[in-house]
Amino acid sequence: MTDWNPHPEGSGAGCRIVDLPRVTDPRGNLTFIEGGSQIPFDVARVYYLYDVPGGESRGGHAHQNLQQLIIAAAGSFDVIVDDGTETSRFHLNRSYYGLLLPRLTWRELGNFSTGSVCLVLASLPYSEDDYYRDYGDFLAGRRAAEEAAR
Ligand code: TYD
């Protein structure tokens, strides 16, 4: 039988899809996320993107320390992730899948469907100092972190 609801690509560029719990109910389904359980961090911040015009893109940066879980709470969009060596594209279109991004991951979001909502759970409060907004700076930061880990 055709699987009309295929599991998205599981992992790539250090990122992976997290299959979130689903409490299905004829009155409407429910998904929950607990820090330290489904995701390897405590949630310090939640933000969401909405009213994104068709054809727009978001992201285009990386974070020094922030970890995030990205969910298509409504509609669909693509997330392209880059760990400095490998890139991977994830199409998110179900509210019970999350894409886990470790620190030092360059990301671009695009191909938003009309009415989509991109929900993000973040491990740290907002800090502009945590951003790499320049791709070259991100690569240098990534290499430095890899050197330090050796
Ligand atoms: P940014 O992370 O650059 O958005 P995107 O990657 O989706 O394009 O954030 C856009 C603006 O919003 C930026 O000027 C900072 C502000 N902002 C906050 O004040 N708090 C937050 O938690 C976030 C995520 C952004």
Side-chain angles (χ1 to χ4, degrees):
M1 205 173 106
T2 308
D3 182 0
W4 293 111
N5 186 15
H7 194 293
E9 190 189 343
S11 63
C15 301
R16 68 180 166 87
I17 294 289
V18 178
D19 207 345
L20 299 167
R22 260 176 279 172
V23 184
T24 57
D25 191 305
R27 299 171 301 158
N29 300 331
L30 182 152
T31 284
F32 59 89
I33 303 162
E34 294 184 351
S37 177
Q38 288 87 20
I39 50 174
F41 57 83
D42 288 328
V43 178
R45 175 167 53 114
V46 174
Y47 65 92
Y48 37 98
L49 301 170
Y50 53 98
D51 293 346
V52 180
E56 270 306 334
S57 58
R58 306 274 322 204
H61 58 75
H63 290 276
Q64 295 177 41
N65 293 302
L66 190 70
Q67 303 173 69
Q68 289 166 301
L69 186 77
I70 301 180
I71 300 164
S76 66
F77 51 84
D78 292 346
V79 187
I80 300 166
V81 291
D82 177 346
D83 66 1
T85 307
E86 183 193 358
T87 63
S88 194
R89 177 188 288 263
F90 294 86
H91 180 63
L92 299 183
N93 64 350
R94 295 285 180 259
S95 40
Y96 46 82
Y97 291 132
L99 178 63
L100 192 60
L101 272 66
R103 62 190 285 259
L104 295 167
T105 303
W106 189 268
R107 88 289 309 274
E108 315 266 354
L109 286 78
N111 199 22
F112 287 88
S113 68
T114 305
S116 57
V117 178
C118 170
L119 176 66
V120 183
L121 278 55
S123 64
L124 296 168
Y126 174 76
S127 166
E128 187 59 36
D129 292 345
D130 191 60
Y131 279 74
Y132 286 117
R133 293 200 182 269
D134 176 85
Y135 187 75
D137 291 347
F138 153 67
L139 282 181
R142 177 99 209 177
R143 302 279 174 262
E146 285 164 2
E147 277 299 315
R150 275 198 198 115

